[in-house]
Amino acid sequence: MMKKLRKAVFPVAGMGTRFLPATKVIPKEVLTLVDRPLIQYAIDEARAAGIDEFIFVTARGKSALEDYFDRAPELESSLRDKGKNDLLEALKASEMPSGAIAYVRQQEALGLGHAVWCARRLIGDEPFVVMLPDDVIAAEKPCLQQMVEAYDEKPGNYVAVMGVPRELTKQYGVFDLDPWDGDRARAKGMVEKPEPEDAPSNYAAIGRYILQPSVMDELRKFKKGAGGEIQLTDAIADRITAGDPVYGYRFAGRRFDCGSKVGYLQATVAFGLARDDLRDDFAAYLAEYMGFMNAAE
Ligand code: G1P
């Protein structure tokens, strides 16, 4: 019997240097898109896909993340006294059932693969999800849910993929894929951050993974890869070589790279415009501002 997917690992130990000086005191995962921290989007997506155990791989300086998912009794009672029910309702998104969330620390920044390996005891002998909160995906049906449905139909390891311009392959894990079978294509290989001329395709891994516990056995070998780091991509590539089914999954949706400043700004515009309470005012402002910029040219 195939084990149900219940657990998700959120590697959130990164220093977020691209957002310095803000990230000197604020973990990048709590930077806000409109009025919610980035991590909230990932958590909502995981919940929609049926995940009910959340494992955060954190590091020093990330305590704001833990506080975010804790109760805030003074704030709650003050809002209740003032009858601010809409704000009390907004707080609910960050509520977690007791024991649903666990934190493990990655003491040294040894790479994404190492971060995932840090969660091994909490994962045990179960398939699991990895979600990179920097990758925010706007989709009618949440991306992870699309992947879980594909997985339920045909078990294996799954990685979200997206076509990227050739010149950008060195920012991603890149797949060598068999022909597409619907939105799924079996992987023949995977390489981390190849130069465009060495890239097997332009299909890049995006931060949503469904993995079998055998990937942990590869990570445990501590093999150093691109950038001298222990790479999740390499562990997955080794499972492909071992004959395990690994699929690239072409999701429906729009991905924002919130690990980069431009991507984060684009996401702010898109998520602002997607909100019923903000759309009209914000769109009017953007139109006016663009007109002003064009006139100034
Ligand atoms: C990580 C992975 C890479 C993947 C990317 C997706 O890279 O190592 O394989 O394509 O996330 O966002 P990073 O962005 O941490 O350099």
Side-chain angles (χ1 to χ4, degrees):
M1 251 285 280
M2 190 172 79
K3 284 189 186 155
K4 192 183 166 315
L5 276 168
R6 300 186 301 130
K7 300 179 179 179
V9 179
F10 300 81
V12 289
M15 282 192 280
T17 48
R18 276 188 276 182
F19 286 92
L20 280 170
T23 43
K24 185 179 167 193
V25 291
I26 308 169
K28 69 173 170 175
E29 297 79 13
V30 299
L31 293 174
T32 53
L33 267 186
V34 190
D35 52 9
R36 299 167 148 230
L38 283 183
I39 191 68
Q40 182 75 58
Y41 293 86
I43 291 286
D44 288 350
E45 191 181 326
R47 278 181 176 145
I51 299 298
D52 58 12
E53 286 189 43
F54 307 86
I55 301 160
F56 280 51
V57 182
T58 70
R60 291 177 290 284
K62 296 277 183 167
S63 51
L65 259 179
E66 297 187 27
D67 292 341
Y68 179 74
F69 289 106
D70 202 349
R71 297 296 291 269
E74 295 84 4
L75 176 61
E76 285 168 33
S77 66
S78 136
L79 293 174
R80 205 169 296 115
D81 292 348
K82 292 179 187 146
K84 304 221 160 169
N85 294 329
D86 50 334
L87 296 179
L88 275 171
E89 198 53 40
L91 277 185
K92 287 225 169 90
S94 62
E95 272 178 25
M96 280 282 175
S98 299
I101 188 159
Y103 301 89
V104 290
R105 280 215 175 179
Q106 184 190 28
Q107 289 96 336
E108 274 183 283
L110 298 177
L112 175 61
H114 179 262
V116 171
W117 175 81
C118 287
R120 68 201 176 281
R121 290 174 197 271
L122 295 169
I123 293 298
D125 189 27
E126 282 189 43
F128 60 101
V129 162
V130 175
M131 295 188 84
L132 309 185
D134 280 1
D135 284 328
V136 175
I137 301 172
E140 220 159 282
K141 183 186 282 184
C143 177
L144 187 65
Q145 192 183 341
Q146 297 174 38
M147 292 171 69
V148 169
E149 286 174 10
Y151 170 82
D152 286 342
E153 205 182 272
K154 196 175 206 172
N157 299 272
Y158 280 77
V159 184
V161 301
M162 184 179 103
V164 298
R166 265 268 159 191
E167 62 273 18
L168 297 185
T169 55
K170 57 178 176 301
Q171 295 179 11
Y172 296 98
V174 178
F175 276 104
D176 183 8
L177 294 173
D178 276 344
W180 290 98
D181 169 15
D183 292 321
R184 175 197 290 120
R186 185 154 175 169
K188 290 187 281 193
M190 190 181 185
V191 276
E192 182 68 8
K193 302 197 166 71
E195 291 296 329
E197 59 273 25
D198 303 325
S201 76
N202 69 330
Y203 280 108
I206 299 304
R208 303 288 182 275
Y209 306 78
I210 297 174
L211 300 172
Q212 298 302 317
S214 54
V215 171
M216 288 291 187
D217 300 330
E218 301 296 341
L219 290 173
R220 145 164 39 247
K221 295 175 188 164
F222 283 13
K223 209 167 90 181
K224 281 192 185 159
E229 297 189 338
I230 299 165
Q231 297 290 353
L232 183 57
T233 292
D234 295 340
I236 297 171
D238 287 342
R239 292 319 303 166
I240 297 173
T241 308
D244 287 1
V246 174
Y247 302 100
Y249 182 82
R250 203 161 44 171
F251 57 96
R254 192 180 171 92
R255 172 257 188 178
F256 297 92
D257 176 11
C258 289
S260 82
K261 287 179 239 223
V262 169
Y264 180 72
L265 291 170
Q266 289 168 345
T268 300
V269 172
F271 281 81
L273 290 175
R275 283 269 295 254
D276 291 342
D277 56 336
L278 301 172
R279 184 182 304 116
D280 293 351
D281 287 351
F282 191 37
Y285 171 74
L286 288 177
E288 183 200 314
Y289 190 75
M290 290 317 291
F292 168 79
M293 294 287 279
N294 291 336
E297 262 173 21

